[in-house]
Amino acid sequence: MTIRRGVPEGSESRVAALYWEAFGRMLGAALNPPDKARAFLAAHLHHDRGVVALVDGEVAGVAGYQLEGRGLTGGGAGDFLTSYGILRGLPRLALLALLERRPAEGELVMDGIAVAPEHRGAGIGSLLLRGIAGVAADHSCRRVRLDVIDANPRARALYERHGFAAVRTEKTPYLRELMGFGAVTTMRRPVAPVDSAHHPEAR
């Protein structure tokens, strides 16, 4: 297994499929049908905004992040409306806006972790989190922030094991039927010098 920064060229469809498998229930109302959603995600990936785990050269897991105004999943409003049309696209854009989380100064926002089912339980999530912390440290960020939904307690447990602490929970009962969750918890983890990939203890 290899952990590397950046999505390898040619892996766009694989990464889009992993992201959709992990977050399709939440994003479906905005991006369905699934084939169209995966194609849109693959076409608009920002390769330099992801940390990936490779097993035998194939992406087995990915963690996306937002930094300096760009995240792993890209595509502006114009791209979205071109793909989905104005009448269908505008209300979908409004749904996506509800999920938008922008970094504060000195902060890296993680978009979530997606690991292929056949590779779960092998510690890939933990390795990707360490990779994200390294990115944050090397960009002089003071903390990493993420949001976790109430429908994903396993992810929250993983984040807590790696030093993330909840800072607030927003109730979203109006999204339970539409997107599959009724609350979102924001978690933060401070970044330390040891997190840097260039720090001797991080090697």
Side-chain angles (χ1 to χ4, degrees):
M1 184 191 305
T2 302
I3 303 296
R4 58 161 281 178
R5 297 181 186 180
V7 174
E9 293 291 339
S11 298
E12 297 84 2
S13 294
R14 171 69 170 172
V15 169
L18 291 178
Y19 239 61
W20 186 253
E21 195 276 334
F23 306 115
R25 174 65 181 90
M26 182 172 63
L27 299 175
L31 297 180
N32 273 330
D35 287 350
K36 190 178 188 71
R38 288 189 291 265
F40 184 85
L41 292 172
H44 298 287
L45 280 179
H46 291 142
H47 293 72
D48 61 344
R49 289 297 184 264
V51 176
V52 300
L54 300 176
V55 176
D56 296 328
E58 182 180 60
V59 175
V62 58
Y65 60 90
Q66 296 181 41
L67 188 66
E68 298 171 352
R70 296 167 66 246
L72 177 65
T73 54
D79 300 311
F80 193 83
L81 295 177
T82 297
S83 294
Y84 288 89
I86 294 178
L87 292 180
R88 296 179 64 201
L90 285 174
R92 291 166 180 249
L93 276 175
L95 287 175
L96 290 176
L98 294 175
L99 304 175
E100 184 69 22
R101 297 291 187 271
R102 295 190 178 277
E105 184 178 353
E107 185 175 70
L108 180 146
V109 171
M110 196 180 79
D111 288 332
I113 289 177
V115 178
E118 65 271 23
H119 293 293
R120 290 173 188 164
I124 288 177
S126 294
L127 292 172
L128 291 173
L129 280 175
R130 291 174 193 159
I132 290 289
V135 171
D138 292 346
H139 283 83
S140 301
C141 294
R142 296 189 300 275
R143 62 178 177 257
V144 178
R145 190 185 97 211
L146 58 84
D147 292 321
V148 62
I149 60 175
D150 59 350
N152 198 353
R154 289 183 62 185
R156 176 165 179 166
L158 171 67
Y159 301 145
E160 288 173 341
R161 289 198 300 271
H162 285 269
F164 285 86
V167 294
R168 67 175 177 273
T169 296
E170 178 185 356
K171 301 293 185 181
T172 57
Y174 51 91
L175 293 178
R176 184 173 296 281
E177 184 173 347
L178 190 62
M179 292 185 168
F181 62 92
V184 180
T185 297
T186 297
M187 306 183 77
R188 290 176 181 160
R189 173 200 185 282
V191 175
V194 71
D195 290 317
S196 173
H198 305 294
H199 193 286
E201 295 180 32
R203 296 186 185 277

